[in-house]
Amino acid sequence: MKPNAAPTRALVITHGGIAREMINVVEMILGPVEGLEAMTNSGKSAADITAAVESWLAEPGAAFILIDDYGGSCATAARLAARDRPEVGIIAGVNLAMLLGFVTWRDSTEFPELVRKIIQKSREAITQIGAGT
Amino acid sequence: MTLVLARVDDRLIHGQVTVGWATHLQPSRLLLANNEIAADAWQSEVYAASVPHEIEVSILSLAETAAYLKRTADRKERVLLLTASVGEMAHLATMGVPFERINLGGLHYSSGKKEMLPFVYLGEDDLPPLRQLLNRGIRLQAQQVPGGMEHEVNAEEVRRMEGRF
């Protein structure tokens, strides 16, 4: 177990309402979860998205930013906002498996290993389950 | 060199540009004109990382952009040009970039701006450069994504916006 009890926080930033809905579904599965916050880029200028991420990062300590789409405004804002925060992990391609893995392992797994595990879990969740002929 | 799109978009390099417009227009080079980003290698890397591998990317100051477009006028290149503000596009026009039309695509709401269209919010500072561009005979076409709503911005609309500040 990690020392110090406060759970590692995560900010989920997506287009539209995806982040809010993903967190709703995570709580439907696991019950209420602390330290998960949703943010949307909808209607926001690049500067305002970056400022909102900076504001969320004002609390010190390790944290994750999970983004729907590599190469979009959410990813750019996260990287710009976390420029001087190497302890902040940023991962693109958020899916339900990634979020469930994050919440499940965040209290028991140290940072680099946590990143490896949740990326592995989210990739394993992408798999063909029908013939598609 | 063909300027396939000159777009004002405060998000600069993002999905609507790299997926939406780039799929539609097939640019060979994406040219981001921004003095601050061009002067910062780290920020340049962040923006360049978002460009698909098949498209070349240049991140240049406004002066370098005008010089580049002049120097490469005879080159077989399809350039998609981006600035974050109308003022920067007008500045490029004063430096001799021969625009026929400019796309207003992603001008989001922020404090002090007023809505012209659901995807075009303008600040008071945007209006003089819009007028300058119209006075040069450059067409201003508001359109967020290919196939989306198109709207030609005219002098009367700019005048009406001026009355709202």
Side-chain angles (χ1 to χ4, degrees):
Chain A
M1 289 287 280
K2 284 199 308 183
N4 305 326
T8 303
R9 299 183 307 143
L11 175 65
V12 185
I13 319 176
T14 67
H15 295 71
I18 300 173
R20 179 72 269 151
E21 276 307 307
M22 284 181 97
I23 292 173
N24 286 345
V25 173
V26 165
E27 294 197 319
M28 228 182 274
I29 295 169
L30 298 176
V33 174
E34 278 182 44
L36 277 189
E37 190 162 327
M39 188 180 288
T40 177
N41 69 349
S42 293
K44 293 194 187 99
S45 69
D48 284 356
I49 307 168
T50 305
V53 181
E54 282 171 350
S55 169
W56 184 84
L57 284 172
E59 198 172 308
F64 273 92
I65 304 176
L66 309 176
I67 290 152
D68 58 350
D69 186 25
Y70 176 78
S73 57
C74 305
T76 302
R79 291 191 69 189
L80 294 176
R83 180 172 188 168
D84 300 315
R85 297 286 297 275
E87 78 282 14
V88 175
I90 307 175
I91 304 175
V94 66
N95 60 14
L96 202 50
M98 183 188 288
L99 270 183
L100 291 168
F102 169 75
V103 175
T104 305
W105 294 317
R106 65 178 168 172
D107 293 329
S108 60
T109 310
E110 294 293 342
F111 218 70
E113 176 64 6
L114 180 57
V115 173
R116 192 194 64 73
K117 279 179 80 164
I118 68 175
I119 289 179
Q120 185 182 350
K121 184 177 169 69
S122 60
R123 283 184 178 156
E124 283 170 0
I126 300 169
T127 185
Q128 185 172 5
I129 58 170
T133 55
Chain B
M1 189 274 301
T2 308
L3 200 52
V4 295
L5 186 72
R7 175 173 170 98
V8 183
D9 184 332
D10 66 62
R11 292 182 180 177
L12 298 169
I13 297 171
H14 68 122
Q16 285 175 355
V17 172
T18 58
V19 183
W21 285 105
T23 303
H24 184 64
L25 297 171
Q26 299 285 305
S28 57
R29 181 178 301 277
L30 197 153
L31 175 45
L32 168 54
N34 186 291
N35 288 344
E36 183 201 327
I37 298 169
D40 182 335
W42 184 82
Q43 278 195 62
S44 293
E45 188 276 322
V46 168
Y47 280 95
S50 300
V51 179
H53 297 302
E54 63 274 17
I55 304 174
E56 300 279 339
V57 57
S58 300
I59 299 176
L60 304 175
S61 69
L62 297 182
E64 288 166 342
T65 297
Y68 178 88
L69 293 173
K70 194 170 182 182
R71 191 170 71 242
T72 61
D74 297 332
R75 201 184 283 180
K76 276 194 175 173
E77 227 178 32
R78 295 171 60 80
V79 173
L80 194 162
L81 172 69
L82 292 170
T83 67
S85 70
V86 182
E88 288 165 307
M89 211 53 100
H91 195 53
L92 289 173
T94 63
M95 288 190 284
V97 177
F99 296 116
E100 287 174 17
R101 71 169 71 174
I102 286 167
N103 167 251
L104 306 177
L107 292 168
H108 298 85
Y109 174 78
S110 63
S111 180
K113 295 197 173 186
K114 295 189 190 294
E115 180 177 334
M116 175 184 259
L117 294 166
F119 54 94
V120 178
Y121 284 79
L122 298 171
E124 202 170 0
D125 293 353
D126 294 317
L127 301 177
L130 276 182
R131 195 171 272 283
Q132 283 168 30
L133 290 167
L134 286 170
N135 288 344
R136 285 176 180 272
I138 297 166
R139 292 174 59 199
L140 301 175
Q141 196 162 35
Q143 186 177 13
Q144 197 167 27
V145 286
M149 172 198 157
E150 284 183 60
H151 179 86
E152 182 107 14
V153 177
N154 59 33
E156 169 58 22
E157 260 179 305
V158 175
R159 196 191 59 75
R160 275 205 307 271
M161 286 298 291
E162 284 166 349
R164 293 172 60 191
F165 285 95

